[in-house]
């Protein structure tokens, strides 16, 4: 028997304000046409003044708990993937813990930028399979609108705010790829690529939050190469291959990257959950948002084999193979 981390509930939350591409046209040398054709993005949500990452994350966590039919007191741990925490400390995870009324267990943030949810999920799965926790909430929540340079057209049109969450629960499996739950993970980072995507401020340097800087075309190149590679590696660890995949649930950064990765994996686009048009790039929130929306649309069903893959600043990248 093998202890597996099985999804028991999923949920998401988006800020009310929707920002269409046309809003950028009036103040920047850009166009709806450029943004759509180069990225697939049509709109994104931006948090209201005073609405924080932990507010979004708590709303998503409550939705996931309701979906799971569980209360906050049933959770042993809460892991938040974010790069845009409310404060330098305490962790935004502990703020979500408080907001949802979880007074026991433990909570912490994971910082792996856009790959954060995949890293957090791998950690949660390890906590469960090692017997350290039975039920773990994994949240991805971001307010990237707070770290955008709204004079830089090459970055500010790309990102959005939002949150998604899953509740994982320990279940006994056979130890085969037929089991439900997390079947394999594959994580990587390489700090030599720091300059490609970073925020130019921080506590121990500028003492400010800073703004996002990206060499987009370089990140694009790494994404197309590394995402299919890590997805294949995770599938291989699970004893599976691309032909077994029901859904790719990719990090939603750019439709061209999503399409190129699916093509390299030889998975047709009908088997890819795409939400980038509505959310933009929500960094660590993008995969749990897509899981929740994909389930809501009736795309993801119990027993489906899902591959999640993401790349972000660091560089960090990785994938998780999970049977829903
Ligand atoms: O989530 C973390 C991972 N991040 C990503 O995965 C993002 C990866 N990168 C990308 O998605 C793409 O590289 C971008 C969407 C950021 C850019 O697309 P690209 O096809 O790589 O374009 P580029 O950076 O090579 O720029 C092409 C042109 C440039 O003009 P010139 O130098 O050819 O005259 C840019 O200045 O497009 C210009 N440009 C824009 N034009 C209109 C850049 N941003 C804009 C804009 N509107 N918003």
């Amino acid at each position: 028997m093998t202890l597996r981390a099985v999804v028991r509930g999923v949920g998401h939350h988006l800020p009310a304000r929707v920002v269409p591409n046309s809003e950028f046209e009036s103040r920047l040398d850009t166009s709806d046409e450029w943004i759509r054709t180069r990225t697939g993005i049509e709109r994104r949500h931006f948090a209201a003044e005073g609405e924080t990452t932990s507010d979004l994350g708590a709303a998503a966590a409550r939705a996931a708990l309701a979906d799971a039919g569980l209360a906050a007191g049933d959770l042993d741990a809460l892991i938040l993937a974010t790069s845009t925490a409310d404060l330098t400390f305490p962790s935004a995870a502990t703020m979500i813990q408080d907001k949802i009324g979880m007074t026991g267990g433990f909570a912490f943030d994971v910082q792996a930028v856009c790959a954060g949810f995949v890293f957090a999920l791998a950690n949660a799965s390890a906590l469960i399979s090692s017997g350290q926790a039975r039920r773990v909430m994994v949240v991805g929540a971001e307010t990237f609108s707070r770290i955008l340079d709204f004079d830089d057209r090459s970055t500010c049109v790309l990102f959005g705010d939002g949150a998604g969450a899953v509740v994982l629960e320990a279940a006994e499996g056979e130890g085969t790829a037929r089991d439900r739950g997390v079947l394999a993970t594959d994580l990587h980072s390489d700090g030599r690529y720091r300059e490609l995507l970073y925020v130019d401020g921080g506590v121990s340097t500028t003492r400010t939050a800073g703004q996002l800087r990206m060499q987009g075309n370089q990140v694009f190149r790494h994404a197309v190469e590394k995402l299919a590679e890590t997805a294949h590696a995770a599938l291989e660890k699970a004893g599976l291959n691309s032909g077994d995949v029901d859904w790719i649930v990719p990090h939603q950064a750019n439709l061209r990257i999503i399409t190129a990765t699916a093509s390299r994996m030889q998975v047709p686009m009908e088997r890819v959950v795409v939400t980038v048009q509505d959310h933009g790039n929500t960094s660590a929130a993008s995969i749990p948002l897509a899981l929740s929306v994909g389930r809501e649309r009736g795309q993801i069903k119990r027993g489906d084999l899902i591959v999640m893959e993401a790349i972000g600043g660091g560089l960090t990248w990785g994938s998780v193979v999970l049977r829903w």
Side-chain angles (χ1 to χ4, degrees):
M1 286 289 175
T2 305
L3 267 186
R4 299 284 194 192
V6 174
V7 175
R8 172 151 172 178
V10 62
H12 71 274
H13 182 77
L14 289 156
R17 184 175 162 220
V18 178
V19 178
N21 291 344
S22 54
E23 268 198 34
F24 294 94
E25 287 177 336
S26 53
R27 44 181 314 278
L28 285 172
D29 181 17
T30 189
S31 64
D32 174 47
E33 222 269 300
W34 191 94
I35 302 169
R36 272 176 204 256
T37 52
R38 306 304 286 179
T39 73
I41 298 166
E42 297 172 21
R43 60 193 70 81
R44 75 286 291 137
H45 294 245
F46 279 166
E49 199 57 45
E51 191 175 26
T52 65
T53 291
S54 72
D55 290 334
L56 302 179
R62 280 188 212 103
L65 277 177
D67 186 51
L70 293 171
D74 297 323
L75 300 172
D76 301 317
L78 186 152
I79 307 177
L80 169 67
T82 191
S83 306
T84 48
D86 300 25
L87 298 175
T88 300
F89 75 75
S91 67
T94 55
M95 297 183 189
I96 295 176
Q97 185 189 22
D98 177 42
K99 284 175 184 174
I100 65 173
M102 177 186 165
T103 52
F106 58 96
F108 61 95
D109 287 0
V110 162
Q111 219 283 39
V113 202
C114 297
F117 186 76
V118 163
F119 276 58
L121 206 52
N123 274 277
S125 174
L127 285 173
I128 286 174
S129 60
S130 62
Q132 293 179 78
R134 214 181 123 60
R135 290 200 188 102
V136 183
M137 171 77 77
V138 186
V139 184
E142 302 277 17
T143 47
F144 260 52
S145 62
R146 309 283 200 248
I147 51 166
L148 295 177
D149 174 354
F150 283 98
D151 292 323
D152 177 8
R153 68 174 184 174
S154 72
T155 53
C156 74
V157 302
L158 304 174
F159 295 89
D161 302 336
V166 297
V167 180
L168 298 173
E169 184 172 64
E172 301 246 330
E174 297 171 347
T176 72
R178 286 190 303 272
D179 291 347
R180 290 184 66 219
V182 174
L183 300 178
T185 63
D186 185 60
L187 305 182
H188 301 270
S189 61
D190 189 338
R192 287 175 302 173
Y193 297 117
R194 182 182 67 191
E195 303 281 305
L196 301 187
L197 174 50
Y198 66 101
V199 170
D200 64 5
V203 180
S204 103
T205 51
T206 60
R207 307 183 195 191
T208 61
Q211 291 181 319
L212 185 147
R213 307 291 169 206
M214 177 165 73
Q215 294 175 40
N217 46 16
Q218 292 297 315
V219 177
F220 192 102
R221 199 172 54 78
H222 282 285
V224 169
E225 178 194 301
K226 293 183 164 54
L227 290 174
E229 226 170 70
T230 177
H232 275 306
L235 281 167
E236 202 174 306
K237 288 182 195 178
L240 297 165
N241 59 52
S242 290
D244 299 308
V245 174
D246 291 303
W247 295 103
I248 300 177
V249 183
H251 171 46
Q252 311 280 325
N254 185 320
L255 186 58
R256 287 157 54 218
I257 295 173
I258 294 172
T259 310
T261 304
S263 158
R264 283 189 173 216
M265 290 178 67
Q266 297 180 304
V267 172
M269 280 306 285
E270 297 77 60
R271 302 235 142 259
V272 183
V273 176
V274 180
T275 57
V276 69
Q277 68 281 2
D278 297 324
H279 303 160
N281 182 346
T282 57
S283 189
S286 93
I287 289 179
L289 262 165
L291 286 173
S292 182
V293 169
R295 210 277 309 262
E296 218 167 64
R297 286 178 187 157
Q299 292 176 306
I300 297 172
K301 295 192 186 67
R302 189 185 167 99
D304 282 353
L305 189 84
I306 293 172
V307 180
M308 295 163 252
E309 30 88 346
I311 186 165
L315 293 174
T316 51
W317 68 101
S319 56
V320 173
V321 174
L322 173 148
R323 192 174 296 286
W324 194 259

